[in-house]
Amino acid sequence: PNWEVVGRSKKVQTFWRVKGICPLARGAVWPLAIGNPLHLNRDLFQILGKRARLARAPMGTGPAFGREGTARLVQTDLERTWAHLGLFHSDGPYAEQLQDVLEAYCFFRPDVGYVQGMSFQAALLVLHCQDSFTAFTCLANLLSRPFFLSFYRDKTAPLQLRMQIYDRVLQHNLVDIHKLFRQLDVS
């Protein structure tokens, strides 16, 4: 089918929101749904990967002009990413892929770098996408959108706005959970 027509139809969009996307189909559907408006390609991904590997070396690649140095934090978070599953531990089956995706992102967006917790979003993509490049493409294109980017930038105003919206939606749709969060002082 023509993805541009079918994937954007109201019927399909409603289905996704109500039923979700079958786990077996996510690897094919997510890249199509996210798209690649940044026009990322495998050559760029390989270049970013080489820069990351050079930075990992004991002498590094020289001075960082942005937040590329945060790539060194990726290794620490790999062990924490769904730790109970062991998929991303240093000897885990997906550790190298997740590290490649996150480090490439650090060098792709040196103004953002790596932010703690980013590994969880990337891990979902690594588990479902056919390869590291596809996972990176999905992550970079998702995080380039203002909604998602606001969670990883140092600017608090957009994040506070998103959290206020979330709080109101939670209060309206899940009243009991909202009350419990308030009692526990979870904000």
Side-chain angles (χ1 to χ4, degrees):
N2 181 342
W3 179 256
E4 290 303 315
V5 174
V6 175
R8 308 283 188 258
S9 73
K10 191 169 193 137
K11 182 178 179 181
V12 170
Q13 296 288 322
T14 301
F15 180 81
W16 288 354
R17 288 186 180 97
V18 175
K19 300 279 188 184
I21 298 173
C22 169
L24 294 175
R26 290 176 185 162
V29 174
W30 282 355
L32 291 171
I34 294 166
N36 187 8
L38 297 174
H39 304 287
L40 302 174
N41 59 57
R42 289 185 186 278
D43 290 339
L44 175 61
F45 180 65
Q46 290 174 351
I47 291 166
L48 295 169
K50 287 177 185 174
R51 289 184 64 200
R53 284 187 291 283
L54 285 172
R56 242 188 269 153
M59 295 304 290
T61 59
F65 297 102
R67 301 192 60 193
E68 298 99 331
T70 59
R72 295 188 188 276
L73 303 174
V74 168
Q75 189 64 44
T76 303
D77 265 8
L78 290 180
E79 299 289 328
R80 299 175 187 165
T81 306
W82 296 326
H84 62 287
L85 298 176
L87 297 172
F88 305 104
H89 293 176
S90 57
D91 60 344
Y94 297 101
E96 186 176 341
Q97 281 181 275
L98 182 56
Q99 184 171 2
D100 290 347
V101 168
L102 291 168
E103 288 179 347
Y105 183 79
C106 286
F107 285 90
F108 175 68
R109 286 296 305 260
D111 59 319
V112 177
Y114 176 75
V115 179
Q116 186 175 12
M118 195 181 276
S119 61
F120 290 92
Q121 288 78 28
L124 270 176
L125 295 166
V126 164
L127 289 174
H128 289 286
C129 291
Q130 66 184 12
D131 57 31
S132 299
F133 167 70
T134 306
F136 166 74
T137 301
C138 288
L139 181 71
N141 280 282
L142 272 177
L143 296 187
S144 72
R145 296 174 185 174
F147 177 83
F148 293 106
L149 188 58
S150 70
F151 289 97
Y152 296 105
R153 299 294 302 262
D154 288 334
K155 299 176 181 172
T156 57
L159 181 57
Q160 287 175 338
L161 177 63
R162 304 269 190 284
M163 296 308 292
Q164 288 171 354
I165 293 169
Y166 175 79
D167 187 59
R168 288 189 182 129
V169 169
L170 186 66
Q171 183 178 19
H172 179 74
N173 293 314
L174 298 169
V175 177
D176 292 338
I177 291 176
H178 185 266
K179 286 179 184 175
L180 178 63
F181 281 0
R182 288 288 178 215
Q183 289 172 356
L184 297 172
D185 197 28
V186 175
S187 55

